[in-house]
Amino acid sequence: MTFTKLPKAITAEELLSTPLPPVKWIIPGLLPAGLALFAGPSKAGKSWLTLWLCLQVAQGKPVWGREIEPRTVLYLSLEDTFNRLQDRLFRLVGSEDTPEKLILQTECQSIGQGLEEQITSFLYNHSDTGLVVIDTLQKVRSCDQSGSMYASDYKDVSALKSLADKYGICILLIHHLRKESADDVFNRISGTTAISGAVDSSFTLVEDRRGSGKAKLSCIGRDIEYRELSLERNVENVWEMVADSRTQPELLGDRITYLVSELMRDRTKFIGTPTELSEKIDPVGMERISPKKVSRLILQSLDALSKIGIFGMVRRSNGKRLIELRRAESDDAQGVPVVAPVDPVGALCGDLREIAGHGE
């Protein structure tokens, strides 16, 4: 799929009218492409959770109810031996076949000393790579002491972020939390604020108490809404989700597919502002779908909507932004411009992307 290449400078109006690619998800709604940080206390179960996530992505198996596509995963497990990794894999995989798409290494170069070239070479040989895990960040940090600690942290993390952005992958950095308490768990991330400030997403894993087998995974990022997942570790050392602080919004993501399908049941098209669409599908406000939320939820439900044959576009008319939805079987559905002929949902994906978070 191709999209318009934007100039370095653009007016806000032009930007709002330009189709842009959607967020690329490794784990939908939870782990987007870009640079991510996963921090927790020592021996809190980070490595077990990380290895399990790598296995799920490599096999294309669900992660806490989220369906994902199988992708090659590079796991740089720099604090483990192959013996330890083998034991963990046996316990996590059981009688199942170990996925060939998961590749493990226990050694690599440091940032600025060859790591970027190693990852680039790996991506060249494994073009379907979606996730690269570096466990831990401390093992690959540069030894540059020429500037402040903040500048050094920012330089290291920015180098990895540039790599993730360039190739459209997720690089997940495993890191540590400081022992001292803090009102905001993200303030416990070891190092300067440059680390948490430069990454796209941050995750922290904190046990209820040492060895309890229960923990809270806090998630925050530029492309994800803040949420807290309550996890419990089973006898196979798999962290299972038992609660999600944003369960209702997740249900809305499924609910809007039903609401839009009901709206389009007796019509071939809908043209209206985000406010008008919100009023049509949620007339009495029981679903709490605001104009801002309806745009975002539709964007998050593009795959589900495409499966029921609903496509659309966004355009300007008399100073208003309009959402246009059409059923695929309608005669004038062919008039809905799409970004790529082989992917009709690309139009809705690109056009609705630009109104995410906006109202009328």
Side-chain angles (χ1 to χ4, degrees):
M1 184 183 299
T2 58
F3 293 90
T4 303
K5 184 176 181 180
L6 297 181
K8 295 297 183 180
I10 187 172
T11 68
E13 177 57 33
E14 289 174 328
L15 182 59
L16 289 173
S17 302
T18 303
L20 296 175
V23 174
K24 180 180 179 181
W25 295 99
I26 308 304
I27 303 175
L30 191 63
L31 184 62
L35 186 63
L37 185 75
F38 177 30
S42 178
K43 308 299 187 295
K46 297 189 306 295
S47 294
W48 280 101
L49 178 54
T50 300
L51 183 56
W52 178 75
L53 289 174
C54 289
L55 282 165
Q56 299 302 99
V57 173
Q59 296 175 105
K61 293 188 175 181
V63 173
W64 301 322
R66 295 168 169 83
E67 297 294 331
I68 59 179
E69 297 180 7
R71 294 183 173 94
T72 292
V73 177
L74 173 61
Y75 184 20
L76 302 176
S77 186
L78 308 177
E79 293 187 337
D80 287 315
T81 63
F82 281 124
N83 292 67
R84 189 176 300 128
L85 289 171
Q86 184 187 62
D87 178 67
R88 289 176 179 170
L89 283 171
F90 272 128
R91 296 173 70 177
L92 290 173
V93 175
S95 60
E96 300 177 10
D97 292 335
T98 305
E100 295 183 358
K101 286 182 176 291
L102 174 57
I103 300 174
L104 306 102
Q105 289 183 215
T106 57
E107 296 180 358
C108 70
Q109 300 298 318
S110 299
I111 299 170
Q113 302 295 319
L115 175 62
E116 297 94 314
E117 291 76 10
Q118 281 184 290
I119 294 177
T120 300
S121 177
F122 181 88
L123 297 176
Y124 178 81
N125 291 304
H126 302 83
S127 59
D128 67 330
T129 299
L131 177 63
V132 174
V133 176
I134 300 177
D135 186 359
T136 63
L137 171 62
Q138 187 61 38
K139 284 286 188 177
V140 299
R141 294 172 75 173
S142 66
C143 299
D144 183 9
Q145 302 296 326
S146 59
S148 67
M149 184 176 296
Y150 181 96
S152 178
D153 284 346
Y154 194 83
K155 180 181 178 182
D156 284 350
V157 176
S158 294
L160 296 176
K161 175 171 169 52
S162 296
L163 198 62
D165 291 344
K166 180 179 180 179
Y167 292 102
I169 63 170
C170 175
I171 297 180
L172 179 62
L173 307 175
I174 310 303
H175 199 42
H176 297 290
L177 291 178
R178 291 189 289 265
K179 292 182 179 180
E180 58 265 29
S181 61
D183 292 336
D184 187 342
V185 67
F186 294 101
N187 290 333
R188 292 178 55 193
I189 294 174
S190 180
T192 69
T193 55
I195 295 177
S196 56
V199 300
D200 298 301
S201 309
S202 295
F203 306 86
T204 61
L205 182 72
V206 178
E207 284 187 295
D208 292 355
R209 65 179 186 278
R210 177 69 71 177
S212 67
K214 298 181 179 181
K216 179 172 69 177
L217 180 68
S218 301
C219 321
I220 194 170
R222 297 186 176 106
D223 296 309
I224 60 176
E225 297 184 76
Y226 178 77
R227 69 188 335 126
E228 295 177 357
L229 306 182
S230 297
L231 307 179
E232 288 188 8
R233 187 156 53 174
N234 64 23
V235 294
E236 298 174 338
N237 282 295
V238 173
W239 285 101
E240 298 178 335
M241 186 184 74
V242 295
D244 182 348
S245 66
R246 300 196 68 88
T247 298
Q248 189 60 32
E250 285 300 302
L251 292 176
L252 278 176
D254 297 329
R255 181 71 174 163
I256 199 166
T257 303
Y258 169 77
L259 294 173
V260 171
S261 68
E262 287 296 296
L263 173 68
M264 301 298 289
R265 181 183 298 275
D266 298 320
R267 64 175 74 195
T268 59
K269 66 180 179 180
F270 166 85
I271 301 176
T273 65
T275 297
E276 291 168 340
L277 178 57
S278 177
E279 291 174 348
K280 285 288 186 182
I281 64 176
D282 187 20
V284 295
M286 291 186 62
E287 305 285 351
R288 296 184 179 180
I289 302 179
S290 66
K292 291 183 179 180
K293 184 175 290 186
V294 72
S295 300
R296 183 173 70 251
L297 291 175
I298 287 178
L299 180 63
Q300 294 171 345
S301 305
L302 292 177
D303 287 342
L305 287 171
S306 69
K307 291 176 182 178
I308 60 175
I310 297 176
F311 311 106
M313 63 176 292
V314 173
R315 58 182 174 82
R316 300 284 295 185
S317 177
N318 297 324
K320 292 184 177 181
R321 185 165 295 108
L322 300 177
I323 298 176
E324 186 169 337
L325 302 171
R326 297 181 187 269
R327 282 197 281 112
E329 63 269 23
S330 64
D331 293 337
D332 52 1
Q334 298 299 322
V336 180
V338 294
V339 176
V342 297
D343 184 15
V345 76
L348 185 60
C349 184
D351 290 326
L352 290 183
R353 175 79 168 103
E354 51 94 17
I355 66 164
H358 296 279
E360 180 175 341

